[in-house]
Amino acid sequence: MTIMLKAVSRRTVLKSAAIGAAAFGLRPDLALAAGQTVTLADIGVGDPNGDWSTYTKETGNTVNVVSIGNGPSAVLNQLIAGGGRQSYDIINIVGGMQNPLVENDLIVPLDVSRLKNWQNNAYIAEYFKPGSKGFDFIGYEGTIYGVPTVLQGDSFAYLPEKTGGTLDSYGALFDPKFKGFVALEDNYTTAGQKTALYLKSAGLTEINDPSDMSKEEIAKVVDFLIEKKKEGQFRVIWSSFEQAVNLLVNQEVYVMDCWEPMVFAAKAKGVDAVYAKPKEGYLLWAMAAYLVKGDRSPEKIEASYQLLDYMLSPEYGAMITSLRGYMTNPQAPAFAAQSDKFDEATAKRIAEIDAGVKEKFEAGGTWQARWPTNIETYEEEWQRFKAA
């Protein structure tokens, strides 16, 4: 299933606003709803360590954070078969899932005119403008469905004490020197695409577009991974945030395909872990927070919009940048520097992270494909890899 995006413009935003209002039956004069609890299903990186105090203080509402998987199939299964459609108000996952979520009637269009922090967000204007790769992470057929909460460029982690120095290529994941001490994520949209980036860059396999491979191309990538798996290259295929962090902290692996927040978590526990700057480029992506379609009161929907707007605020952005290492809000560094919420060293680190992620986007790579054209083949081939 291909994501077909129309050329859009300011009219698209106005259209989204109109559709959103119609979908919710909202009135412009709807009173703010207090006393609501908004359930936020999150993949593990969008919770500011439980500090929703400003949101609660300003709205009178609270947040209930629950865990949700990140794999495309896992997200759909939890919403359709797992009861998430009714129990989750918002899902905060890696974006680009609009095609299956819309086609399965699981999310609703956003009325972005109700998000005051959307209007003056320079990162939204720069990285998610209509027609861009970034827009594919929040929009579908010209309509906006997702709030972009974070941006990031992914690579891999390594322990320099164990690897003997700097690593700058995804080829390290397949280097025989680290045989038995490498881990991959159980996710073809990350590990599979990074492998394709390496194979293409090294001239080992002809791949036209690592972000949207043909059936033959993804089969070649999996053939390569199976060959390495049978040679004993991979210690484990990890599937949860905690598992990945423990692999680094316990030094069970030296090189790992993972997310940068896992490096932050490992460093916080005293481990000298490094997030690589691969010469092949980064895997670029963005989180998107979606409003789940279901039987909800206007007050609950209002509270959900308030939470989405808070997640676009400089304060939330600064907290997530500090905790996870993601770029969030263009005003986050200045907010951190001026707020009593952060000490001077933390504010400086937030500014450095923000600048560092910008450099990743300038360096480039490929945008992650969450729902590639040949998604069924991707699923089948990844199962073949796991079963090998």
Side-chain angles (χ1 to χ4, degrees):
M1 285 175 273
T2 306
I3 300 176
M4 301 295 291
L5 293 175
K6 298 175 181 176
V8 288
S9 62
R10 182 172 178 272
R11 292 176 59 192
T12 296
V13 175
L14 297 176
K15 175 185 171 187
S16 295
I19 291 174
F24 294 132
L26 298 172
R27 303 188 311 273
D29 60 344
L30 182 68
L32 296 182
Q36 300 291 318
T37 296
V38 178
T39 297
L40 172 68
D42 182 80
I43 62 172
V45 298
D47 183 357
N49 278 359
D51 184 2
W52 301 97
S53 56
T54 298
Y55 168 74
T56 296
K57 181 179 179 181
E58 293 182 350
T59 67
N61 300 314
T62 56
V63 183
N64 173 37
V65 180
V66 298
S67 177
I68 187 172
N70 186 42
S73 296
V75 172
L76 294 178
N77 289 337
Q78 289 178 72
L79 286 172
I80 296 172
R85 182 159 26 191
Q86 197 53 42
S87 56
Y88 305 155
D89 299 306
I90 297 172
I91 54 171
N92 188 40
I93 60 176
V94 176
M97 286 284 292
Q98 301 83 238
N99 183 325
L101 293 173
V102 172
E103 295 298 326
N104 286 283
D105 205 24
L106 298 172
I107 57 175
V108 296
L110 285 179
D111 177 359
V112 299
S113 70
R114 301 184 64 190
L115 304 171
K116 67 178 186 300
N117 287 317
W118 180 291
Q119 312 307 327
N120 58 356
N121 188 311
Y123 288 167
I124 292 178
E126 179 177 359
Y127 297 107
F128 301 96
K129 54 190 174 187
S132 69
K133 286 285 187 180
F135 188 81
D136 291 357
F137 274 72
I138 63 170
Y140 180 60
E141 295 189 335
T143 298
I144 297 170
Y145 287 88
V147 168
T149 51
V150 305
L151 293 112
Q152 177 62 306
D154 274 354
S155 61
F156 64 93
Y158 64 95
L159 305 179
E161 183 182 350
K162 298 294 186 181
T163 61
T166 301
L167 300 179
D168 66 353
S169 169
Y170 294 111
L173 294 165
F174 315 109
D175 191 329
K177 285 191 301 184
F178 310 127
K179 179 178 175 181
F181 295 95
V182 176
L184 299 181
E185 181 182 1
D186 182 9
N187 188 338
Y188 54 81
T189 70
T190 53
Q193 193 168 328
K194 291 175 189 175
T195 303
L197 262 177
Y198 165 67
L199 293 175
K200 178 181 174 68
S201 179
L204 298 176
T205 303
E206 288 190 11
I207 296 174
N208 181 43
D209 181 0
S211 69
D212 194 21
M213 290 181 275
S214 67
K215 295 178 181 178
E216 294 74 20
E217 289 170 340
I218 185 63
K220 289 178 182 177
V221 169
V222 169
D223 285 344
F224 174 79
L225 288 172
I226 289 175
E227 177 185 338
K228 293 301 176 184
K229 184 178 180 181
K230 290 184 174 178
E231 291 173 358
Q233 183 70 15
F234 310 124
R235 187 178 189 90
V236 68
I237 309 300
W238 63 265
S239 58
S240 75
F241 190 95
E242 293 75 15
Q243 181 187 12
V245 173
N246 288 335
L247 286 169
L248 286 176
V249 171
N250 298 329
Q251 302 190 354
E252 293 182 52
V253 298
Y254 305 156
V255 185
M256 184 166 72
D257 157 46
C258 68
W259 317 341
E260 191 165 18
M262 294 156 183
V263 171
F264 275 63
K267 285 182 174 178
K269 296 185 178 183
V271 175
D272 181 20
V274 174
Y275 208 55
K277 299 179 179 178
K279 60 187 178 184
E280 296 91 352
Y282 294 92
L283 188 64
L284 308 173
W285 58 274
M287 292 275 287
Y290 302 100
L291 285 177
V292 178
K293 188 171 185 178
D295 182 18
R296 292 178 177 79
S297 68
E299 291 79 10
K300 176 61 71 71
I301 295 170
E302 175 69 5
S304 298
Y305 263 103
Q306 291 169 338
L307 182 58
L308 289 178
D309 200 42
Y310 177 68
M311 293 171 76
L312 284 174
S313 70
E315 178 185 84
Y316 174 84
M319 288 194 289
I320 296 300
T321 297
S322 175
L323 289 168
R324 316 298 182 200
Y326 295 151
M327 186 167 78
T328 52
N329 187 295
Q331 301 174 47
F335 177 88
Q338 298 168 6
S339 170
D340 294 336
K341 206 175 186 76
F342 304 92
D343 60 33
E344 185 176 346
T346 303
K348 181 181 178 184
R349 191 163 62 88
I350 289 170
E352 290 172 347
I353 291 170
D354 184 79
V357 177
K358 281 180 187 169
E359 289 178 2
K360 291 179 180 180
F361 276 81
E362 290 169 1
T366 65
W367 280 82
Q368 184 180 1
R370 291 279 283 165
W371 202 255
T373 303
N374 297 299
I375 182 70
E376 293 180 0
T377 302
Y378 273 66
E379 292 274 3
E380 292 168 1
E381 289 292 336
W382 196 250
Q383 291 307 315
R384 182 165 70 91
F385 165 59
K386 292 172 64 177

